[in-house]
Amino acid sequence: MALKKKPVTGMKDITPREMEIRDYVIGLIKETYGTFGFSSIETPCVEHIENLFSKQGGENEKLIFKILKRGEKLKLDTAKEEMDLVDGGLRYDLTVPLSRYYSNNSNSLPQPFKALQMGNVWRADRPQRGRFRQFMQCDIDILGEPSILAEIELILATSTLVGKLDFENFTIRINDRKILKAMAAYSGFPEESYDLVFIILDKMDKIGAEGVEAELVKEGFPEENVKKYLNLFETITGDIEGVRQLKTLLSGYLEEQTAKDLETIIQSVDKVKTAKFQIVFDPTLVRGMSYYTGPIFEISIDGFGGSVGGGGRYDEMIGKFTGQQTSACGFSIGFERIVMLLLERDFQVPKKAGKIAFLIEKNMPKENLPAIFEAAQKERQNGNTVSVTMMKKNKKFQKEQMTAEGYTDFREFFRDSLNG
Amino acid sequence: MALKKKPVTGMKDITPREMEIRDYVIGLIKETYGTFGFSSIETPCVEHIENLFSKQGGENEKLIFKILKRGEKLKLDTAKEEMDLVDGGLRYDLTVPLSRYYSNNSNSLPQPFKALQMGNVWRADRPQRGRFRQFMQCDIDILGEPSILAEIELILATSTLVGKLDFENFTIRINDRKILKAMAAYSGFPEESYDLVFIILDKMDKIGAEGVEAELVKEGFPEENVKKYLNLFETITGDIEGVRQLKTLLSGYLEEQTAKDLETIIQSVDKVKTAKFQIVFDPTLVRGMSYYTGPIFEISIDGFGGSVGGGGRYDEMIGKFTGQQTSACGFSIGFERIVMLLLERDFQVPKKAGKIAFLIEKNMPKENLPAIFEAAQKERQNGNTVSVTMMKKNKKFQKEQMTAEGYTDFREFFRDSLNG
């Protein structure tokens, strides 16, 4: 029987060209995050189905690839629903497995624990251009560090990484969940409506202030509150001054320390930044996941819409999983998006050495081969790439093909003259 | 609900210590195979269930993790058997996906195509010590090269790689499926019994020549044939001379070119080998998979039982999948076994630069932090690793812990003196 040639729906084969860029970015990530003291860990791609359905994954829990029970455990006759049939699933993120990992291994882990995870995750999303059902996630997390040292380290590490990539300028936007809440409280919104208010606020960059105002009014919030709220965003500036303004304005609604901490984070990052980027205070930054409890941040590359990474503090999530309260803060970089941007701009990975093709005449006597391979090996020991291959009838076409692969040096070996 | 803390049955969490070794070996593999002109590719971890059950996977097809259909496609009410419920599965090797990849992408791939694949595979094996249900495979394959250039490149690449690892000496054993068959034919075994004969021969290193003889006789083969067969193994030597002996002895049963090719492979590898290893002719080498059609080889590290890699030529397999005959030859290295051996001997990954810990007094005024992070960033730019962390009450214990992580340089920052 012939094989199905295409990959399964929504997943892709990765070409040598794309792999070259992926390997390059992976190398930069491991190296850069390594200098910040992050240790790599890995968890299985398969996770307990109960852990995946723990209600921390939001909408992603609807997109799980579930794995059938095996052997005697599978009771097809008596199964009434899906969950009777499955005992595992492919992880949809790296945060749930990290929580499990931490509770399983915390005795042997340093305190605080700085983890780097790179791994595939799976989501049975509706297939669409540029979005795949298997994709790589790249997370750094600091567990067990309650102070803003965590936020500063995460932001510095990520901005150092992005600064090494082939982009001109980028921007880090930062906010704090507590500021979001204080602004809503100050404007008179009731606490139970915050989630809805933030969902609407999150559209600011798409529908503008008028759009946000209209939607809030449409939801039935008093115009007085809505005006007061939107006025706040007009008043405060998108820099450290804005944080200071809020510290005064929101007095009674916001702990002074929250604003001070945000100031220190911005100052620290500003002082030591090594790449062309800016860090700005953005009071409209919401971040989707409701589990964030403190500072939240996003990174975007100037001139390209959308973010290429984001994160924040989530002090209450690991405790929900493990039963033991654990400070946590993370930054996830959009690996697939970065690779796509580099591919689109035809980025060339820096070459270390030469690529040499040894072309051997078809009827070369076999006893001549050892000497040819010896010559190839010498070049490899010098760091060069050598591919030993048979000379084709259409040598010109063969060389063109190999040139496209990056080979620049062609050495031909003929029966009668072995001067390669 | 609290999480299940342990990983799913048979899979494991990977610690920072093991990841360090894994990343080191992965780096060596990518670098070494890169200099031989192998290009990295990747396929999805999920494969069409039909492709996985294509009968090329042998026993592994019984060990597939199957993935439930989703949405309307899952018809639990009318499902009669397992296969009605599933549309995908986790790949159990990298060869089936490579065949699919090649048929899907061959138009845009160079000829011959030299592929490097590193990726996880899954097998629902009975859990046992040191064997896991998720493990990394690392394969190099040359597709579309009918000549022994493929075998020589594969063996040289793999032995160069293993030579860079922390082992004293290793051995490559080589044989040819055609020699195996000719020896059986010469001894008078009928063709339909070859598979059984080879399964018994494969036990030579465990049960010895007498054991093999006894089992063959027990299976009902005429003693005359069995004696003739075992006599062959006694006669021929385990070097290039042995191949030459067989060329004469098996005349009429073995094409001369097969023996000549094997000689050239051994000579070429011998001539250019850069590491402490030997290549030997082993007429008892069988390799399990029946899809091999020509030379087969295995690599083992002296002093450790079992092989750490193997491969061979399989010229007929890809054609069965794709309908188009394609020469193919591959070498798979036992990544997990190598990592395990390095872990057991407490291998230390070569360090590039220093690991420095910045310990900050708990009540340090926040306005001092930017300067501290600036100092950390300077050290990182010099290639050092710096972890910025709060000083703990039990500083001695904290330092001990960080020393175990490889930190050798501790700088303390106090409120009153900022001389780190």
Side-chain angles (χ1 to χ4, degrees):
Chain A
M1 189 190 66
L3 275 191
K4 285 196 178 183
K5 291 191 177 189
K6 299 281 169 206
V8 296
T9 310
M11 302 190 195
K12 67 170 176 177
D13 287 335
I14 303 179
T15 62
R17 165 76 184 124
E18 180 176 342
M19 277 304 293
E20 209 186 351
I21 291 180
R22 294 175 81 89
D23 281 345
Y24 171 74
V25 177
I26 290 171
L28 274 188
I29 289 171
K30 295 246 175 195
E31 177 190 298
T32 307
Y33 288 163
T35 65
F36 282 79
F38 288 91
S39 301
S40 287
I41 62 160
E42 261 184 38
T43 60
C45 300
V46 180
E47 191 50 74
H48 299 287
I49 197 78
E50 301 90 336
N51 291 357
L52 293 175
F53 280 107
S54 61
K55 301 219 170 78
Q56 297 298 315
E59 288 296 300
N60 294 330
E61 295 190 3
K62 296 178 185 160
L63 308 175
I64 297 172
F65 284 95
K66 305 182 194 78
I67 293 174
L68 208 64
K69 290 178 181 173
R70 293 152 305 284
E72 293 171 359
K73 287 182 184 161
L74 179 68
K75 296 190 173 69
L76 189 50
D77 297 342
T78 58
K80 294 214 175 64
E81 47 178 304
E82 253 184 55
M83 292 299 277
D84 297 332
L85 297 170
V86 299
D87 57 1
L90 296 177
R91 61 185 179 199
Y92 52 76
D93 74 5
L94 301 177
T95 307
V96 169
L98 176 68
S99 303
R100 189 194 50 67
Y101 182 98
Y102 190 72
S103 62
N104 190 31
N105 298 284
S106 61
N107 287 341
S108 62
L109 295 174
Q111 273 287 8
F113 178 50
K114 301 170 84 173
L116 162 61
Q117 291 186 96
M118 303 199 70
N120 284 316
V121 303
W122 291 264
R123 295 177 192 171
D125 247 326
R126 189 167 304 187
Q128 49 187 303
R129 203 179 156 275
R131 275 181 79 172
F132 292 94
R133 287 177 163 195
Q134 171 179 316
F135 57 98
M136 171 95 91
Q137 278 203 337
C138 173
D139 290 8
I140 44 174
D141 291 273
I142 303 181
L143 306 184
E145 175 55 73
S147 84
I148 56 168
L149 289 195
E151 281 85 348
I152 298 172
E153 288 274 80
L154 290 167
I155 296 173
L156 282 180
T158 306
S159 56
T160 302
L161 169 69
V162 177
K164 288 179 182 173
L165 293 167
D166 187 42
F167 301 110
E168 281 298 308
N169 292 295
F170 59 96
T171 301
I172 290 168
R173 293 182 301 140
I174 188 166
N175 194 11
D176 191 302
R177 275 268 165 181
K178 289 176 185 153
I179 289 179
L180 269 176
K181 287 182 181 174
M183 286 174 80
Y186 166 86
S187 309
F189 293 105
E191 197 169 343
E192 61 274 17
S193 70
Y194 287 177
D195 278 348
L196 177 58
V197 172
F198 297 159
I199 286 171
I200 295 171
L201 176 66
D202 202 18
K203 303 181 188 171
M204 184 74 96
D205 56 345
K206 281 186 192 134
I207 61 176
E210 294 87 24
V212 170
E213 185 173 346
E215 283 207 23
L216 285 172
V217 170
K218 201 178 142 203
E219 288 291 342
F221 293 113
E223 247 178 86
E224 182 199 337
N225 297 356
V226 175
K227 288 266 180 230
K228 195 173 178 188
Y229 193 46
L230 283 155
N231 204 35
L232 260 185
F233 292 101
E234 267 181 50
T235 313
I236 51 179
T237 55
D239 54 13
I240 207 164
E241 258 330 300
V243 184
R244 288 177 188 142
Q245 284 174 282
L246 280 179
K247 191 164 54 181
T248 316
L249 260 171
L250 299 179
S251 142
Y253 297 94
L254 182 70
E255 280 182 51
E256 202 175 319
Q257 192 58 46
T258 302
K260 273 192 181 167
D261 278 352
L262 197 53
E263 277 184 62
T264 307
I265 295 171
I266 295 175
Q267 278 172 331
S268 296
V269 174
D270 245 333
K271 176 131 190 168
V272 305
K273 63 184 190 183
T274 55
K276 287 182 185 170
F277 77 95
Q278 51 172 345
I279 178 166
V280 301
F281 168 54
D282 180 355
T284 72
L285 181 70
V286 173
R287 304 269 314 142
M289 306 306 277
S290 59
Y291 54 64
Y292 288 119
T293 57
I296 48 179
F297 25 84
E298 235 172 62
I299 186 165
S300 58
I301 292 165
D302 300 2
F304 298 91
S307 82
V308 295
R313 179 167 286 277
Y314 54 103
D315 278 347
E316 281 160 27
M317 183 177 177
I318 294 195
K320 273 184 195 160
F321 279 143
T322 63
Q324 194 156 22
Q325 203 280 327
T326 305
S327 310
C329 197
F331 207 140
S332 181
I333 191 90
F335 178 84
E336 300 288 350
R337 192 159 155 72
I338 286 171
V339 168
M340 207 187 65
L341 290 176
L342 291 173
L343 263 173
E344 279 174 5
R345 56 166 56 192
D346 198 24
F347 173 71
Q348 297 302 315
V349 170
K351 293 272 181 306
K352 281 175 210 148
K355 287 186 90 169
I356 308 166
F358 277 26
L359 303 181
I360 300 175
E361 194 188 15
K362 202 85 185 177
N363 58 354
M364 176 70 74
K366 294 282 164 71
E367 58 266 30
N368 293 340
L369 289 182
I372 296 173
F373 278 103
E374 192 180 24
Q377 199 75 352
K378 285 214 177 103
E379 292 291 352
R380 288 163 181 153
Q381 282 162 9
N382 296 331
N384 291 311
T385 292
V386 182
S387 196
V388 180
T389 186
M390 285 293 173
M391 199 178 291
K392 293 197 181 158
K393 278 182 197 158
N394 190 340
K395 193 166 68 181
K396 185 162 167 280
F397 179 66
Q398 184 180 20
K399 284 188 180 176
E400 279 169 11
Q401 274 205 319
M402 296 196 81
T403 303
E405 280 185 84
Y407 288 89
T408 51
D409 188 350
F410 294 91
R411 307 201 188 156
E412 303 179 10
F413 296 84
F414 295 99
R415 187 184 189 89
D416 300 320
S417 62
L418 261 178
N419 50 340
Chain B
M1 191 189 66
L3 275 189
K4 285 195 177 184
K5 291 191 178 189
K6 298 281 169 205
V8 297
T9 310
M11 304 190 194
K12 69 170 174 176
D13 288 333
I14 303 179
T15 61
R17 165 76 184 125
E18 180 176 342
M19 276 304 293
E20 209 186 350
I21 291 180
R22 294 175 83 89
D23 281 343
Y24 171 74
V25 176
I26 289 170
L28 274 187
I29 289 171
K30 295 246 172 194
E31 176 190 299
T32 307
Y33 288 163
T35 66
F36 282 79
F38 288 91
S39 301
S40 288
I41 60 161
E42 261 184 38
T43 60
C45 301
V46 180
E47 191 50 74
H48 298 287
I49 198 78
E50 301 89 337
N51 291 357
L52 294 175
F53 280 107
S54 60
K55 302 220 170 80
Q56 297 298 315
E59 288 296 300
N60 293 331
E61 295 190 2
K62 296 178 186 159
L63 308 175
I64 297 172
F65 285 95
K66 304 183 194 79
I67 292 174
L68 208 64
K69 290 179 181 171
R70 293 152 305 286
E72 293 171 359
K73 287 180 184 164
L74 179 68
K75 296 190 173 68
L76 189 49
D77 296 344
T78 58
K80 294 212 175 67
E81 48 178 304
E82 252 184 57
M83 292 299 277
D84 298 332
L85 296 170
V86 299
D87 57 1
L90 296 178
R91 60 186 179 198
Y92 51 77
D93 73 5
L94 300 177
T95 307
V96 169
L98 177 68
S99 303
R100 189 193 52 66
Y101 181 99
Y102 189 72
S103 62
N104 189 32
N105 299 284
S106 61
N107 287 340
S108 62
L109 295 174
Q111 272 290 6
F113 179 50
K114 301 170 83 171
L116 163 60
Q117 292 186 95
M118 304 199 71
N120 284 316
V121 303
W122 291 264
R123 295 178 192 170
D125 247 324
R126 191 167 303 185
Q128 51 188 301
R129 204 181 157 275
R131 275 182 79 171
F132 292 94
R133 289 178 161 194
Q134 171 179 316
F135 57 98
M136 173 95 91
Q137 277 203 338
C138 172
D139 288 9
I140 45 176
D141 291 274
I142 303 181
L143 306 184
E145 175 56 71
S147 85
I148 56 168
L149 289 195
E151 281 84 349
I152 298 172
E153 288 272 81
L154 289 168
I155 296 172
L156 281 181
T158 305
S159 57
T160 303
L161 170 68
V162 178
K164 289 180 182 173
L165 292 167
D166 186 41
F167 301 111
E168 281 299 308
N169 292 294
F170 59 96
T171 300
I172 290 169
R173 295 181 300 141
I174 188 165
N175 194 9
D176 190 303
R177 274 267 163 183
K178 290 176 184 152
I179 290 179
L180 269 176
K181 288 181 181 175
M183 288 174 79
Y186 166 87
S187 308
F189 293 106
E191 197 169 343
E192 60 274 18
S193 70
Y194 288 176
D195 278 350
L196 176 58
V197 172
F198 297 159
I199 286 171
I200 295 170
L201 175 66
D202 201 19
K203 303 181 188 170
M204 185 74 96
D205 55 345
K206 281 186 192 133
I207 61 177
E210 296 86 25
V212 170
E213 184 172 348
E215 284 208 21
L216 285 172
V217 171
K218 200 178 144 206
E219 287 291 342
F221 294 112
E223 246 177 86
E224 181 198 340
N225 297 354
V226 174
K227 288 264 180 230
K228 196 172 179 190
Y229 193 47
L230 282 155
N231 205 35
L232 260 184
F233 293 101
E234 267 180 47
T235 313
I236 52 180
T237 54
D239 53 12
I240 207 163
E241 257 332 299
V243 183
R244 289 177 187 140
Q245 286 174 277
L246 280 180
K247 191 163 55 182
T248 317
L249 261 172
L250 299 179
S251 143
Y253 298 93
L254 182 69
E255 281 183 50
E256 202 175 318
Q257 192 57 48
T258 302
K260 273 192 181 166
D261 278 352
L262 198 52
E263 277 184 63
T264 308
I265 296 171
I266 295 174
Q267 278 172 331
S268 297
V269 174
D270 245 334
K271 175 130 189 168
V272 306
K273 63 183 191 184
T274 54
K276 286 183 187 171
F277 77 94
Q278 52 174 346
I279 179 163
V280 301
F281 169 55
D282 180 354
T284 72
L285 181 69
V286 172
R287 304 268 317 141
M289 306 306 277
S290 59
Y291 54 65
Y292 288 119
T293 58
I296 48 178
F297 24 83
E298 237 172 61
I299 187 165
S300 58
I301 292 165
D302 300 2
F304 299 90
S307 82
V308 295
R313 180 168 285 278
Y314 54 103
D315 277 347
E316 281 160 26
M317 182 178 178
I318 293 195
K320 271 185 196 159
F321 278 144
T322 65
Q324 195 157 19
Q325 204 280 327
T326 305
S327 311
C329 197
F331 207 140
S332 182
I333 191 90
F335 178 84
E336 300 288 351
R337 193 158 154 73
I338 286 171
V339 168
M340 207 188 63
L341 290 176
L342 290 174
L343 262 173
E344 279 174 6
R345 56 166 55 193
D346 198 24
F347 173 71
Q348 297 302 315
V349 170
K351 291 273 181 305
K352 282 176 208 145
K355 287 186 90 170
I356 309 166
F358 278 26
L359 305 181
I360 301 175
E361 194 187 16
K362 202 85 185 176
N363 57 354
M364 176 70 74
K366 293 282 164 72
E367 59 267 28
N368 293 340
L369 289 182
I372 296 173
F373 278 103
E374 193 180 22
Q377 199 74 351
K378 285 214 177 106
E379 292 291 353
R380 288 163 181 154
Q381 281 161 11
N382 296 332
N384 291 311
T385 293
V386 182
S387 196
V388 180
T389 187
M390 286 292 174
M391 198 178 290
K392 293 197 181 157
K393 275 182 199 158
N394 190 340
K395 193 166 67 180
K396 185 162 168 283
F397 179 66
Q398 183 180 19
K399 284 187 178 178
E400 280 169 13
Q401 273 206 319
M402 295 195 84
T403 302
E405 279 185 84
Y407 288 89
T408 51
D409 187 351
F410 294 90
R411 307 200 189 157
E412 303 179 9
F413 296 84
F414 295 99
R415 188 186 190 87
D416 300 320
S417 62
L418 261 177
N419 51 339

